[in-house]
Every structure is written in C-alpha cells, then in structure tokens.
C-alpha cells in the first residue's frame, strides 16, 4: 500500500474517531484554509506563522510586504505557509491574501493575543494577532509540527523581581510544536530564559552552532548542549519528541546571518535606553515588548528593524526545509510500515495454508463432517 494511501486512511480514521480538535474544526469554531487542510490530509509539509509580527512588529505597508515575502519563501522551499490569526472572532489557520492585507492594515488595532486572550477575543468576536503561545496552540490543534517566528518571548530583565515571564515559555513546556526562531529577543534576560526553559523540560537546540543566538546578533555567550546541523537532524529530533510523547515543544535557535547581524554594542546601548524609558513611563506587561522593539528601532535609525526582517526570512527558509525533511521522514516510515504489513499478511496466509492443523484444514474437515 502506498504511503499516500496510508496517509489518507489515517485521515479517514480521524474523521471516524474525531478528537476534540477535529470536533472544534467540524463545528466551525476554527477555520482552516483549503490549502492548509489539503496539505495536512496528504501529509505534505506545513509551516505555521504567527501574526503579531505583522500587526505589532512593523508599520504598514512594510508589514504586509514582509508577510507576503515570508510566505513566498516557505512555498519556494517546498512547504505550505499557515499564518494564524483571529478574525471576527474566528481562529483562522492559513490566511488568504485579502485576510493578510486586512490584518496588516488593522495593525495595532488587532489585539495582541496570547493563549490567555484567545477565549476573550473569540467570545467578543474581535480581531487578534497571535503571539508565539497562541500560534503554538492552534498549530498543535490541527497537527502542524513546525512553527516559524522571529524570536520568542522570555524572562524580562529584572524578572526575578517583577515575575514578568512570557507565556511563550510555559507553552513550550506543554505543547509539542517545534519553534524555529533566532533565539530570544535580546531585550530580555537570555540566561534566565534558558534556565526557565530547562525547568519546563524544553529541548533547546542550536542550528549549526554551539552558542545560543541573541536575536539581533549571532552570539549571546550562553552555550547549548543540543546542536543540529541539517534539516534532517531537526526532523529526527522533532520525530523522536513526538513518538516519545514528551508533551513539550522544541526550540530550534537559528543565528541571524552574519551579513545582517547588528552591532552588539549599539543594540545593547539602545536596549538600555529603551528600558529606562519604559520604566519612566510605567510601560509593563504585553505592551512592553512592542514598545521596546519600536524604541530600539528608532534609536538605531532603523538598523534593528532591517535585522529583524532579515532574520525572520532566514528562519522561514530553515523552517520550511525542516518541515519538508519531517514530511519526508514520516512518508518513509508510512511506506515501510505498509511494506511490513504486506509481508505480515503474506506470511499469515502462507501459515494458514501450510501449517498442520491450520484454519484451512479445519475448514475442510468441518465441511466433510457436514
């Protein structure tokens, strides 16, 4: 039996024995685009993309142009992009060009939506741009294993006093999705973020390096023990995590390309200045990160935004290749499983015909007696 046939049989089984997530989709609580739905049912590579970077990460029309370019990169490298957002109270997994443009023009009028905000945005029929935690939740719901973002949230500086810790970290601790990012946003406390991820049992891997990247720059000074050097390495890591049912996500940190790496000293100086402004203006909670990123961009004369766009595109390239490698790995496993089943069936038939006292002999004896 072919791997595609096995994949479709598995999908049919899902319809006959629906999970909670399938029920939510069937009841119309979640909308999956036809392109994404078809790719998932056929076992093709799909990459989830967040939408906060579109609405809160950069101004219009640059945000729309970047979103289109990122989706194009994913497609060019063999995967289907699935940008996630909530529009008019409906969680959408995979956006049309019209929906993408609507989200881009809404900008900050779309609510920044983490896991805790999902129910409120849906109940109020609002528009929400999903953060890492919310995007991971929806990706996992429909079976998307690879998610690309710019950088994840983390423990804020002075977080040991404020307890300001991003829900991205706890989501990684309970949702089995691989997050491809350029590390942790450098406005945060990277060492404490890595300590928190360890506490959550999250595997943190670095791509083609032994040092955890710092978003705008290639190095943070923090070493990581898990290194992956190819998309195939990443696919095997993700596959093992899923098969073992560890229940946690994986963070795969990809350094920003050297040619786009901003000056570490310049960025750090801008961050310290922005942090002081945030404290003076009492900007905290989920408003702090957008404020800090915007101010750092202003202080650096746009250099940080250019680096941000470059790293997101690079992550999309790597993420698409990982998704394709994972789909190919699963296809090979389906194919081998099908061959094994065929061999087992043949052996069973042979045993039935040739073993003494088998079912065939019993059938013949029964017929003779009757």
């Amino acid at each position: 039996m072919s791997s595609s046939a096995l994949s479709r049989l598995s999908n049919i089984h899902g319809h006959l024995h629906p999970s909670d997530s399938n029920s939510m989709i069937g009841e119309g609580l979640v909308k999956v685009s036809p392109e994404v739905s078809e790719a998932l049912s056929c076992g093709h590579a799909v990459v989830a993309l967040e939408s906060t970077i579109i609405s809160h990460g950069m101004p219009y029309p640059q945000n729309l142009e970047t979103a289109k370019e990122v989706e194009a990169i994913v497609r060019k490298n063999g995967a289907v992009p699935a940008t996630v957002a909530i529009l008019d109270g409906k969680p959408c997994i995979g956006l049309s060009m019209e929906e993408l443009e609507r989200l881009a023009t809404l900008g900050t009028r779309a609510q920044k939506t983490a896991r805790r905000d999902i129910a409120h945005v849906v109940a109020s029929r609002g528009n929400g741009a999903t953060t890492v935690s919310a995007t991971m939740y929806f990706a996992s719901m429909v079976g998307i294993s690879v998610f690309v973002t710019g950088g994840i949230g983390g423990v804020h500086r002075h977080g040991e006093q404020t307890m300001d810790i991003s829900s991205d970290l706890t989501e990684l601790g309970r949702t089995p999705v691989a997050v491809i990012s350029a590390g942790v946003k450098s406005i945060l406390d990277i060492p404490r973020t890595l300590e928190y991820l360890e506490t959550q049992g999250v595997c943190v891997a670095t791509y083609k390096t032994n040092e955890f990247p710092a978003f705008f720059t290639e190095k943070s000074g923090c070493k990581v023990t898990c290194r992956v050097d190819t998309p195939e390495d990443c696919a095997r890591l993700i596959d093992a995590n899923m098969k073992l049912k560890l229940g946690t996500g994986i963070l795969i940190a990809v350094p920003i390309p050297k040619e786009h790496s901003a000056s570490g000293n310049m960025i750090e100086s801008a961050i310290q200045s922005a942090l002081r402004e945030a404290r003076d203006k009492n900007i905290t909670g989920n408003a702090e990160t957008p404020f800090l990123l915007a101010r750092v961009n202003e202080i650096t004369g746009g250099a940080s935004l250019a680096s941000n766009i470059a790293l997101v595109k690079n992550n999309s390239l790597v993420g698409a290749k990982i998704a394709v490698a994972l789909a190919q790995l699963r296809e090979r496993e389906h194919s081998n499983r099908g061959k094994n089943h065929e061999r087992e069936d043949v052996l069973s038939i042979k045993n039935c015909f040739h073993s003494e006292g088998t079912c065939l002999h019993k059938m013949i004896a029964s017929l003779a007696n009757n």
Side-chain angles (χ1 to χ4, degrees):
M1 187 179 292
S2 70
S3 59
S4 60
L6 281 168
S7 178
R8 289 187 179 276
L9 281 174
S10 176
N11 187 53
I12 290 169
H13 180 270
H15 286 295
L16 293 173
H17 306 280
S19 63
D20 291 342
S21 58
N22 285 337
S23 297
M24 281 190 273
I25 295 167
E27 292 170 11
L29 296 176
V30 176
K31 174 187 168 187
V32 182
S33 75
E35 182 186 22
V36 172
S37 181
E38 175 68 13
L40 289 172
S41 69
C42 294
H44 295 164
V46 180
V47 173
L49 301 167
E50 60 148 300
S51 48
T52 297
I53 193 170
I54 301 170
S55 62
H56 291 70
M58 55 193 75
Y60 182 86
Q62 198 169 22
N63 57 354
L64 179 60
E65 293 168 2
T66 301
K68 288 180 177 179
E69 288 170 358
V70 165
E71 288 203 349
I73 290 168
V74 171
R75 284 195 174 91
K76 184 179 178 181
N77 287 278
V80 172
T83 300
V84 178
I86 301 175
L87 296 174
D88 298 323
K90 179 67 66 72
C92 301
I93 303 171
L95 301 184
S96 66
M97 279 299 111
E98 292 77 13
E99 290 169 332
L100 207 59
E101 183 157 6
R102 180 185 174 193
L103 187 66
T105 53
L106 276 171
T108 54
R109 288 176 293 162
Q111 181 174 337
K112 184 180 177 183
T113 306
R115 174 191 265 258
R116 70 163 189 185
D117 309 302
I118 292 172
H120 168 65
V121 176
V122 170
S124 61
R125 298 181 182 177
N127 298 307
T130 55
T131 64
V132 169
S133 65
T135 307
M136 284 184 71
Y137 172 77
F138 287 120
S140 179
M141 176 189 291
V142 299
I144 300 174
S145 300
V146 178
F147 161 44
V148 165
T149 184
I152 66 164
V155 178
H156 282 250
R157 300 191 187 197
H158 310 295
E160 70 277 14
Q161 299 167 353
T162 64
M163 291 301 292
D164 193 348
I165 301 170
S166 171
S167 63
D168 295 353
L169 305 187
T170 48
E171 199 66 38
L172 274 160
R174 64 182 170 186
T175 302
V177 171
V179 179
I180 318 302
S181 82
V184 179
K185 295 183 179 74
S186 53
I187 56 175
L188 306 172
D189 188 324
I190 295 175
R192 282 193 170 91
T193 297
L194 291 174
E195 287 290 344
Y196 194 91
L197 285 170
E198 182 183 359
T199 301
Q200 291 290 314
V202 177
C203 174
V204 177
T206 47
Y207 192 71
K208 296 184 178 181
T209 180
N210 294 317
E211 186 167 338
F212 193 77
F215 196 64
F216 291 123
T217 56
E218 300 167 83
K219 298 181 179 181
S220 66
C222 300
K223 301 294 182 180
V224 173
T225 56
C226 180
R227 170 175 173 154
V228 282
D229 288 298
T230 66
E232 290 73 25
D233 287 346
C234 299
R236 285 190 291 271
L237 180 64
I238 296 166
D239 188 56
N241 187 65
M242 297 294 286
K243 285 177 178 173
L244 291 167
K245 300 186 184 300
L246 292 172
T248 55
I250 296 174
L251 177 61
I252 300 176
V254 182
I256 184 174
K258 287 183 180 180
E259 63 270 25
H260 298 292
S261 179
S263 166
N265 291 334
M266 176 184 69
I267 294 293
E268 182 59 31
S269 175
I271 288 171
Q272 291 299 334
S273 177
L275 283 167
R276 286 192 293 272
E277 288 185 42
R279 284 196 297 272
D280 291 343
K281 296 179 179 179
N282 197 31
I283 297 172
T284 59
N286 66 0
E288 185 177 23
T289 296
F291 171 80
L292 292 174
L293 289 174
R295 281 299 294 136
V296 169
N297 184 54
E298 289 172 11
I299 295 168
T300 60
S304 66
L305 179 57
S307 295
N308 194 353
I309 293 172
L311 66 83
V312 170
K313 290 180 180 179
N314 185 59
N315 292 347
S316 302
L317 169 68
V318 175
K321 290 181 177 180
I322 292 171
V324 169
L326 182 61
Q328 291 172 343
L329 175 63
R330 288 172 174 172
E331 184 177 0
R332 286 194 300 272
E333 289 179 347
H334 276 305
S335 179
N336 291 336
R337 195 175 301 131
K339 290 176 182 177
N340 288 336
H341 286 164
E342 287 175 0
R343 282 195 293 268
E344 288 170 6
D345 290 341
V346 169
L347 287 172
S348 178
I349 293 168
K350 283 182 178 179
N351 288 335
C352 189
F353 274 102
H354 297 295
S355 296
E356 190 172 329
T358 58
C359 55
L360 182 61
H361 288 93
K362 289 179 181 179
M363 286 173 61
I364 293 171
S366 177
L367 288 169
N369 291 332
N370 290 332

